[in-house]
């Protein structure tokens, strides 16, 4: 990760493709299968969602993410290693106001029994519920206000999960060869194959993590309440695109995340940052 100036945004740079840059916005959405990908011209970058969730939650709006391969390292399947890296490097506050997408009226998208919606709220909150045909995953639901602290403590460590029968199917197709019990929670018929969960409801927490990363592809941190039921990367990213289409459902405001953000065009009383962590 390399520093970038104000209004640069988050961009992936493929050093192995002559420095091709792919902005982390939904207009460059690429392949969506078990992870979220971006593409531009001949280049692509896969599995961006956990890193993006960490960046948006830590207040990093401008950064170059340089890669020498088409995939962000999976690490341990969570966002915790990326949080660690950003905190080790430090974040510089820039002399430009941070911009947010503030939701003015509800927006929703439904596909069968899967649903995702965004409602007006003074803060960024996520409610997620999941239900799978598995004894450990019949129903999990959680609502959280997402701040830097709550993200770091409650969401970032939650690992991705998969079902053993799916892993076997992927391997037969030559995929997920790097997948192991070290970078995902693997569910067998009745339980977890790995020794221990990090949270009792680690699964729904990871879905919140994915949703934060995918939603960040609108290009701004969001002020609103995201509600998702049984969604996944395909619906999250389709919804990010829908949000940008419904231009009367939101406005861009600028300010400080701890105060009421101001509509763009209204003078902001204090100099605030486009990147940086809240000091409170
Ligand atoms: Zn994930």
């Amino acid at each position: 990760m390399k520093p970038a100036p104000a209004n640069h945004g988050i961009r992936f740079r493929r050093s192995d493709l002559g420095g091709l840059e792919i902005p982390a916005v939904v207009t460059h959405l690429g392949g969506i299968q078990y992870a979220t990908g971006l593409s531009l011209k001949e280049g692509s970058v896969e599995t961006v969602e956990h890193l993006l969730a960490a960046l948006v939650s830590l207040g990093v709006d401008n950064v170059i993410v340089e890669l020498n391969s088409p995939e962000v390292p999976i690490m341990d399947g969570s966002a915790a290693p990326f949080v660690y890296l950003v905190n080790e490097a430090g974040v510089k506050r820039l002399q430009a106001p941070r911009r947010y997408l503030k939701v003015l009226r509800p927006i929703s998208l439904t596909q069968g029994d899967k649903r995702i919606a965004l409602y007006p709220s003074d803060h960024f909150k996520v409610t997620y519920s999941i239900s799978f045909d598995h004894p450990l995953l019949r129903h999990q639901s959680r609502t959280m206000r997402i701040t830097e602290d709550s993200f770091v403590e409650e969401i970032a460590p939650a690992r991705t999960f998969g079902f053993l029968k799916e892993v076997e199917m992927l391997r037969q197709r030559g995929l997920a060869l790097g997948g192991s019990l070290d970078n995902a929670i693997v569910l067998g018929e009745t339980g977890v194959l790995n020794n221990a969960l990090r949270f009792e409801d680690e699964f729904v927490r990871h879905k919140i993590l994915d949703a934060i990363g995918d939603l960040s592809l609108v290009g701004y941190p969001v002020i609103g309440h995201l509600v998702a039921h049984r969604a996944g990367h395909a619906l999250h990213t389709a919804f990010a695109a829908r949000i940008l289409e419904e231009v009367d459902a939101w406005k861009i405001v600028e300010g400080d995340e701890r105060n009421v953000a101001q509509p763009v065009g209204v003078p902001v009383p204090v100099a605030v940052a486009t990147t940086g962590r809240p000091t409170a």
Side-chain angles (χ1 to χ4, degrees), residues 103 105-111 114-120 225-229 235-236 238-246 249-250:
V103 180
R105 65 154 173 85
I107 315 169
S108 68
L109 190 57
T110 302
Q111 284 176 359
K114 302 172 194 294
R115 185 168 190 277
I116 188 165
L118 196 51
Y119 299 93
H225 184 184
L226 183 73
V227 179
H229 176 65
L235 192 58
H236 299 160
F239 187 57
R242 166 68 62 87
I243 293 166
L244 292 185
E245 285 165 17
E246 298 210 12
W250 46 267

Side-chain angles (χ1 to χ4, degrees), residues 27-269:
T27 43
H28 298 297
L29 196 65
I32 303 292
Q33 205 166 13
Y34 290 89
T36 299
L38 298 168
S39 68
L40 179 67
K41 297 178 189 157
E42 304 305 304
S44 65
V45 52
E46 308 298 328
T47 320
V48 297
E49 64 273 16
H50 304 160
L51 174 59
L52 290 178
L55 292 172
V56 72
S57 301
L58 297 176
V60 179
D61 299 315
N62 303 291
V63 65
I64 297 161
V65 181
E66 201 168 271
L67 296 144
N68 63 355
S69 82
E71 187 167 29
V72 176
I74 189 68
M75 310 306 291
D76 66 351
S78 81
F82 301 123
V83 169
Y84 173 81
L85 285 178
V86 170
N87 285 338
E88 281 295 295
V91 175
K92 182 181 176 184
R93 286 184 166 265
L94 302 175
Q95 292 304 311
R98 194 171 195 212
R99 293 190 160 188
Y100 297 81
L101 186 150
K102 184 171 172 59
V103 180
L104 302 176
R105 65 154 173 85
I107 315 169
S108 68
L109 190 57
T110 302
Q111 284 176 359
D113 64 346
K114 302 172 194 294
R115 185 168 190 277
I116 188 165
L118 196 51
Y119 299 93
S121 169
D122 288 338
H123 312 288
F124 181 42
K125 281 196 298 190
V126 180
T127 295
Y128 214 112
S129 56
I130 55 175
S131 134
F132 288 91
D133 183 20
H134 187 280
L136 285 183
L137 285 179
R138 294 269 181 257
H139 183 76
Q140 280 188 3
S141 180
R142 176 168 278 271
T143 294
M144 281 199 61
R145 179 174 169 192
I146 307 298
T147 62
E148 176 178 350
D149 287 346
S150 73
F151 178 81
V152 169
E153 298 291 322
E154 308 285 346
I155 299 298
R159 292 162 297 166
T160 193
F161 60 94
F163 299 93
L164 184 61
K165 56 186 181 197
E166 278 185 0
V167 176
E168 286 165 349
M169 197 176 68
L170 287 172
R171 291 217 170 141
Q172 281 168 11
R173 290 159 51 193
L175 300 170
L177 299 175
S180 77
L181 295 179
D182 294 330
N183 53 34
I185 307 166
V186 180
L187 288 149
E189 291 288 311
T190 54
V192 174
L193 299 185
N194 318 49
N195 39 25
L197 294 175
R198 291 178 178 175
F199 305 97
E200 196 184 346
D201 60 349
E202 188 168 358
F203 309 99
V204 74
R205 290 175 191 242
H206 187 82
K207 297 296 282 191
I208 293 174
L209 168 57
D210 281 341
I212 294 170
D214 289 337
L215 184 67
S216 78
L217 293 174
V218 299
Y220 300 92
V222 168
I223 301 174
H225 184 184
L226 183 73
V227 179
H229 176 65
R230 301 201 68 189
H233 294 302
L235 192 58
H236 299 160
T237 52
F239 187 57
R242 166 68 62 87
I243 293 166
L244 292 185
E245 285 165 17
E246 298 210 12
V247 292
D248 62 329
W250 46 267
K251 65 181 174 184
I252 302 300
V253 298
E254 55 189 32
D256 183 303
E257 59 257 60
R258 286 161 296 145
N259 299 319
V260 176
Q262 308 246 358
V264 169
V266 174
V268 179

